[in-house]
Amino acid sequence: IMTPELLLCLSFGYAAALEPSCLSAQFRRPGDYIIGGLFPFGMDTVNLTARSEPTLIVCERLFVDGLIWALGMKFAIDEINNSTSLLPGVELGYDIYDTCFEPLAALQPSLLFVTRNGTMGIGVECNYTDYQPRVTAVIGPHKSDLCLLTAKLFSFFLIPQVSYGASSEKLSNEELYPSFYRTVPSDKNLVEAVVLLLNEFGWKWIATIGSDDEYGRGAQELFLSTIGNGPICIAYEGLIPSDPTDPKAKKQLEETIEYINKTNVNIIVLFAFQQPAQALLEQSIKMGLSKKVWIGTEAWLLSDIATSIPNIQSIGTVLGFIMKASTVPGFQKYVANLLSSVQQDEFCQESRELYHRVSSDTLGTQCKQCDHISLHDISSILSHSQIQPVYTAVYSVAYALHRALGCTHRGCPKAPIRSWQLLHFMNTVPFTVNGQSFEFDESHSTNTGYKLIFWYWENGSLTHVPVGDYQESLNLNKSLIQFHTADQKEPPSECFRECEPGQIRQIKGFHFCCYDCTDCPENTFCSSKDSSSCTPCLEHQWSPARSTQCYDRSERYLRWNEPLVVGLLISMSIITSLICLTAVLFLKNLQTPLVQASGGNLNLFALFALLLMCLSCCLFIGKPTNNLCMMQQIVCALCLNACLSTFFTKSLEIVLLTEFPRCAPTALRWVTSSRAWLLVTLCLLTECLFCFCYLRLGPDYVLPDYSSLPTEVLLTCSTASWLAFALMHGYNGCLAFVCFLCTFMVQSSGKKYNVARGITFAILIYFIIWIFFVAVFATLRTVLRTVIQISTILMVSLGIVGTYYIPKCYILLLKPDLNREDYFQYSTKEEPEGDPQ
């Protein structure tokens, strides 16, 4: 806000600015202790690339902010010299030079500052303890890349250097730059504030751009390392030329805008100084970049960039952090009076005399443009320029000098003070400026915090509206921010949607935090929204797709109440009933020729074995155990062997009668009558031996199957030794095969009953069923395997009963006239049906 006195001076100053002033002669004054100053009066160096000789570097344009900062240093020193409490009796001098934002331009006055006092040469000595340079301390320069160059030089001589704008984190290295200080926070604090702002609004898909200089590169590097693997994703990171006049600059800016367009980001974080920032914004307007949220820093937010770019309001919303700094009382009035005074001949004459008293043969300030500046030219920038960092930097040196000299309220002794002696007091003692306390921290910085400002436009006029602040934590008043969106709410900026429970992040492209949400497959789960992989369930657990947890599997086996089991039990009941009825019928007709020709008592034994084999189906129903699994195969094998052994004795009897009639009378007694039981017992004992081998080599055991069913664990009986299994059941197969060989070629006359035919069909049915059983059993991995085993047992039992016993029952019940001895008797002397030819 301009005071009435300033407005009055402004009107007179504007009229007087037609004549050159002596403002350029105001930046050098003699004194008891000289403080050097490095300020960017100008910018745009002339013919720097074509420079072939080490001539003086000249700048083309005036940088008004740099001029105001330099006037801030002059104001602070004049105020200190007029003070009766800080350095009474001591007069501070100053020697201020232009850096032109160029390291080469800053190096020349820096070399001048370290020359031996009173000379133009730099002394080469082994010990510089007693070396007295031209200046006691240095204020500036402003940019970090210039400070990285000059700080090494001043740190060698341990000359205190206090920057008012260099924020690079590299300068916090006290080992490399022991005499460097700054009255601004480090970029580390700025970056932390920016990250907190992004998180506050939930902006996770952003672009970050930095100027191709130490400030831009350093701040961007810090920013990227700070966000790390957090939720913020960098859609684009790039550097823009620090010198917009470079011939390649336009193409680089165009490519940057094109990349931003491709990423579809709504948020752009810009770490750059005024010139590159202005060039980028101008190019974005020219190329029609849609409105974005621009997050900036003090390096360009407070410059005249807003008033110098046409249609600047079309870029969108501008937010940014500036250092907390109070106004310097009396500075604007001081500048107005000074610019009025430099128009007066008497004042200029006195100023030039003081200027040349410092040293007439040294460098000039090279600020010829300053002589053509009026208050009207700088009034807009003067009203919001940050002067306190410069003001505080000067006072930090003055307070250190106060303590080094041992000043009292009476005065200060004018003792010789070496520059390095001030460092101790700057490191340890706080100081107060206009009622505000300051202290350099471990990194030689003063962290005063930041203000968050918002560019508010009203009727074409810009106002910097404070909307928050940062001091270790972010305080934000969102209601004060009017975004460029239709509802004036913050625009979304996400590359992804929030994943639902049971979904994982599937990274797409090269952006680690740009992803799609993918459902976890079955038998896996995801309990965290931020996870990028699904966790497999334990073996005994399961989960559906897109699950957040696993569930215990239920046990699956054949239960007694299942409809399929009920059907099998009904079938078993029917077959067992049929077997029992057949046995009763055979028992009733035990002494008849038919029953005797079929095997007599052996028939009852075979039917009893088939009955037990049918009842063994109950062993396959219910929850299996190791004992049940073992009993299933043994009972089934022994019962089947008992039945087949009776067929075996009858088959041997038939083959002897039909194929070996001459031996039959002698051999038949071993396979008929009571000795047939001996053969049956021998067959059973052999099967028992194989069952014993089965028990020793490895009986069946319960095996939980977790892969066959999606939500259940299938309890099945697994075979431990296939060799023992093959021996046990293979022996029955061999018996059946021998029976088949003995009976399938046997023929009889039409007047005789062919007993062999019943055995042949029974064995064929047995083989056919077992072939189908093996084929189906090998391919099934569900509870149906047990069903197939039960069905096989029932079908074998039914097949044997149906092919061997039922035809005989038919004769006993419906054809009793055929139940006579001559119809069922084999004769060893049986004649062929025709005469031999």
Side-chain angles (χ1 to χ4, degrees):
I1 300 174
M2 292 192 180
T3 61
E5 295 87 348
L6 182 58
L7 292 173
L8 182 63
C9 293
L10 177 60
S11 60
F12 284 107
Y14 180 65
L18 298 176
E19 295 293 331
S21 67
C22 61
L23 184 60
S24 60
Q26 305 304 310
F27 301 110
R28 180 181 292 169
R29 286 293 183 273
D32 300 317
Y33 302 97
I34 304 297
I35 300 178
L38 297 173
F39 291 86
F41 293 121
M43 54 185 177
D44 299 342
T45 54
V46 179
N47 294 329
L48 186 60
T49 55
R51 184 169 174 260
S52 59
E53 296 179 359
T55 55
L56 184 65
I57 297 174
V58 181
C59 297
E60 195 173 48
R61 286 195 300 143
L62 178 68
F63 182 61
V64 178
D65 289 274
L67 172 61
I68 295 175
W69 295 334
L71 293 176
M73 175 178 172
K74 173 178 168 58
F75 170 69
I77 292 178
D78 288 348
E79 191 176 70
I80 292 168
N81 287 337
N82 293 328
S83 171
T84 58
S85 59
L86 187 53
L87 291 174
V90 172
E91 186 172 359
L92 294 180
Y94 50 89
D95 203 2
I96 301 174
Y97 291 91
D98 182 17
T99 64
C100 206
F101 285 117
E102 178 56 50
L104 292 178
L107 187 59
Q108 194 171 20
S110 299
L111 292 172
L112 177 64
F113 290 158
V114 298
T115 57
R116 190 186 296 275
N117 192 20
T119 71
M120 294 295 291
I122 300 176
V124 179
E125 300 179 7
C126 296
N127 190 339
Y128 284 89
T129 303
D130 296 326
Y131 184 83
Q132 183 62 56
R134 177 183 292 267
V135 297
T136 304
V138 177
I139 306 298
H142 177 260
K143 291 183 67 176
S144 295
D145 50 354
L146 272 65
C147 286
L148 288 171
L149 174 66
T150 57
K152 291 181 180 179
L153 176 64
F154 296 136
S155 292
F156 176 77
F157 292 94
L158 292 181
I159 300 174
Q161 177 187 6
V162 188
S163 174
Y164 49 89
S167 56
S168 173
E169 180 64 16
K170 292 181 180 179
L171 292 165
S172 298
N173 191 331
E174 192 176 357
E175 293 184 1
L176 293 178
Y177 312 104
S179 66
F180 177 81
Y181 298 83
R182 54 186 165 197
T183 52
V184 293
S186 164
D187 284 337
K188 182 179 180 181
N189 303 102
L190 173 64
V191 164
E192 290 173 352
V194 172
V195 172
L196 286 177
L197 178 65
L198 294 172
N199 289 330
E200 182 69 26
F201 284 106
W203 291 328
K204 306 180 187 304
W205 182 238
I206 67 169
T208 173
I209 302 172
S211 52
D212 194 7
D213 51 31
E214 182 58 40
Y215 170 71
R217 290 191 301 268
Q220 191 174 66
E221 183 180 342
L222 266 176
F223 178 70
L224 296 175
S225 63
T226 301
I227 62 176
N229 293 326
I232 299 175
C233 186
I234 304 300
Y236 171 75
E237 58 175 289
L239 297 174
I240 56 176
S242 58
D243 182 12
T245 61
D246 190 293
K248 300 178 181 178
K250 184 178 179 181
K251 183 179 180 181
Q252 294 180 17
L253 291 171
E254 290 176 352
E255 291 177 350
T256 299
I257 301 299
E258 289 174 357
Y259 277 122
I260 293 174
N261 258 329
K262 291 178 182 179
T263 57
N264 295 321
V265 297
N266 288 324
I267 313 300
I268 301 174
V269 180
L270 178 58
F271 299 105
F273 283 107
Q274 175 184 346
Q275 286 180 289
Q278 180 173 343
L280 177 67
L281 294 177
E282 287 177 343
Q283 190 65 35
S284 66
I285 295 172
K286 181 179 178 181
M287 296 180 65
L289 184 68
S290 59
K291 290 185 177 182
K292 309 290 183 183
V293 176
W294 296 80
I295 299 178
T297 62
E298 188 174 341
W300 63 273
L301 279 175
L302 299 180
S303 66
D304 60 352
I305 190 172
T307 57
S308 60
I309 301 178
N311 200 25
I312 183 66
Q313 297 175 354
S314 65
I315 65 172
T317 305
V318 178
L319 293 168
F321 291 94
I322 63 173
M323 191 183 72
K324 284 183 180 179
S326 57
T327 58
V328 178
F331 176 67
Q332 292 188 8
K333 185 177 180 181
Y334 172 84
V335 173
N337 291 335
L338 178 63
L339 292 180
S340 177
S341 299
V342 294
Q343 303 292 334
Q344 302 172 11
D345 293 338
E346 183 179 353
F347 180 83
C348 289
Q349 181 63 32
E350 182 181 351
S351 296
R352 292 188 179 98
E353 290 178 1
L354 292 174
Y355 183 89
H356 292 293
R357 277 177 55 188
V358 177
S359 181
S360 59
D361 54 353
T362 56
L363 296 169
T365 57
Q366 301 300 325
C367 184
K368 300 303 181 184
Q369 301 97 327
C370 297
D371 293 336
H372 300 281
I373 289 295
S374 68
L375 184 59
H376 179 270
D377 298 326
I378 66 172
S379 59
S380 61
I381 301 176
L382 181 63
S383 62
H384 60 72
S385 183
Q386 294 277 33
I387 301 302
Q388 190 182 35
V390 179
Y391 187 76
T392 306
V394 176
Y395 266 88
S396 68
V397 174
Y399 270 97
L401 190 59
H402 171 90
R403 295 181 179 90
L405 290 172
C407 296
T408 64
H409 64 279
R410 298 178 181 177
C412 298
K414 296 182 180 179
I417 293 293
R418 303 289 183 263
S419 298
W420 56 267
Q421 292 177 304
L422 300 181
L423 298 180
H424 170 72
F425 300 102
M426 296 187 71
N427 289 336
T428 57
V429 182
F431 57 96
T432 304
V433 179
N434 291 332
Q436 184 177 359
S437 179
F438 294 90
E439 183 178 7
F440 292 110
D441 57 21
E442 294 179 353
S443 61
H444 291 179
S445 305
T446 58
N447 186 11
T448 56
Y450 293 94
K451 285 193 301 183
L452 177 63
I453 64 169
F454 161 62
W455 276 13
Y456 175 70
W457 294 92
E458 186 175 15
N459 299 325
S461 177
L462 174 64
T463 304
H464 297 123
V465 179
V467 294
D469 62 80
Y470 171 76
Q471 183 78 47
E472 295 183 355
S473 63
L474 180 65
N475 298 312
L476 180 63
N477 189 347
K478 294 183 180 181
S479 62
L480 297 177
I481 305 175
Q482 298 179 11
F483 288 94
H484 60 267
T485 54
D487 57 358
Q488 295 187 344
K489 299 295 184 180
E490 63 268 19
S493 188
E494 295 180 332
C495 176
F496 52 86
R497 60 183 175 87
E498 195 73 23
C499 289
E500 298 295 330
Q503 293 183 322
I504 60 169
R505 298 177 176 181
Q506 187 173 22
I507 297 173
K508 59 182 180 181
F510 59 91
H511 302 296
F512 72 92
C513 58
C514 186
Y515 54 81
D516 291 326
C517 293
T518 305
D519 294 347
C520 282
E522 294 180 351
N523 297 323
T524 63
F525 73 98
C526 177
S527 58
S528 173
K529 292 183 179 180
D530 299 329
S531 179
S532 59
S533 62
C534 298
T535 304
C537 293
L538 297 176
E539 190 178 36
H540 66 279
Q541 294 179 322
W542 74 281
S543 68
R546 195 172 172 177
S547 177
T548 58
Q549 62 178 335
C550 292
Y551 307 93
D552 290 335
R553 291 176 179 267
S554 59
E555 294 178 338
R556 183 70 175 100
Y557 50 85
L558 276 183
R559 290 179 169 82
W560 291 93
N561 58 350
E562 291 185 36
L564 185 60
V565 174
V566 173
L568 291 173
L569 290 175
I570 292 174
S571 300
M572 183 188 73
S573 300
I574 294 173
I575 295 172
T576 54
S577 299
L578 185 62
I579 294 172
C580 290
L581 290 174
T582 302
V584 170
L585 185 61
F586 269 60
L587 180 61
K588 185 179 179 181
N589 298 278
L590 184 62
Q591 302 300 324
T592 63
L594 185 151
V595 176
Q596 291 297 318
S598 300
N601 292 331
L602 289 177
N603 289 312
L604 298 177
F605 179 74
L607 288 170
F608 179 70
L610 288 177
L611 177 64
L612 291 179
M613 188 168 72
C614 284
L615 295 175
S616 72
C617 292
C618 296
L619 297 175
F620 292 87
I621 302 173
K623 185 176 181 178
T625 63
N626 289 335
N627 291 333
L628 282 177
C629 290
M630 175 186 65
M631 290 173 62
Q632 288 172 2
Q633 301 302 325
I634 293 177
V635 171
C636 179
L638 287 174
C639 290
L640 184 60
N641 183 269
C643 179
L644 291 177
S645 62
T646 62
F647 289 170
F648 178 64
T649 58
K650 192 62 183 176
S651 298
L652 291 179
E653 178 185 350
I654 292 171
V655 77
L656 287 173
L657 289 171
T658 58
E659 301 298 330
F660 307 99
R662 294 180 180 180
C663 302
T666 306
L668 277 177
R669 64 175 180 268
W670 294 100
V671 295
T672 59
S673 189
S674 60
R675 294 186 180 180
W677 288 100
L678 182 62
L679 187 60
V680 170
T681 303
L682 182 63
C683 290
L684 278 172
L685 289 175
T686 306
E687 181 64 22
C688 289
L689 177 63
F690 286 127
C691 289
F692 179 76
C693 293
Y694 163 78
L695 293 175
R696 297 296 297 174
L697 293 176
D700 287 7
Y701 61 95
V702 178
L703 177 66
D705 182 2
Y706 297 102
S707 58
S708 298
L709 300 176
T711 64
E712 300 169 307
V713 51
L714 180 62
L715 299 180
T716 59
C717 293
S718 178
T719 302
S721 173
W722 284 103
L723 175 62
F725 184 88
L727 289 173
M728 185 170 58
H729 290 286
Y731 173 63
N732 286 333
C734 290
L735 276 182
F737 186 67
V738 170
C739 292
F740 181 77
L741 289 179
C742 293
T743 60
F744 86 103
M745 291 294 290
V746 173
Q747 296 182 359
S748 64
S749 65
K751 299 177 182 180
K752 301 281 185 179
Y753 180 79
N754 193 344
V755 180
R757 186 176 301 166
I759 297 175
T760 302
F761 280 118
I763 299 303
L764 277 176
I765 291 294
Y766 166 76
F767 278 129
I768 291 172
I769 292 173
W770 267 86
I771 289 171
F772 276 102
F773 164 74
V774 172
V776 176
F777 187 80
T779 57
L780 285 178
R781 287 291 183 272
T782 64
V783 73
L784 293 177
R785 293 187 73 176
T786 305
V787 174
I788 292 299
Q789 293 182 75
I790 296 174
S791 300
T792 300
I793 293 172
L794 294 178
M795 285 190 293
V796 167
S797 300
L798 182 62
I800 293 175
V801 172
T803 56
Y804 188 75
Y805 291 103
I806 295 302
K808 295 173 178 57
C809 291
Y810 172 79
I811 294 174
L812 289 174
L813 294 174
L814 301 178
K815 299 287 185 178
D817 56 307
L818 296 179
N819 190 3
R820 60 183 187 272
E821 189 172 348
D822 61 330
Y823 186 67
F824 291 97
Q825 184 177 17
Y826 276 94
S827 175
T828 56
K829 298 180 180 180
E830 186 177 6
E831 294 179 355
E833 295 182 7
D835 298 330
Q837 300 294 327

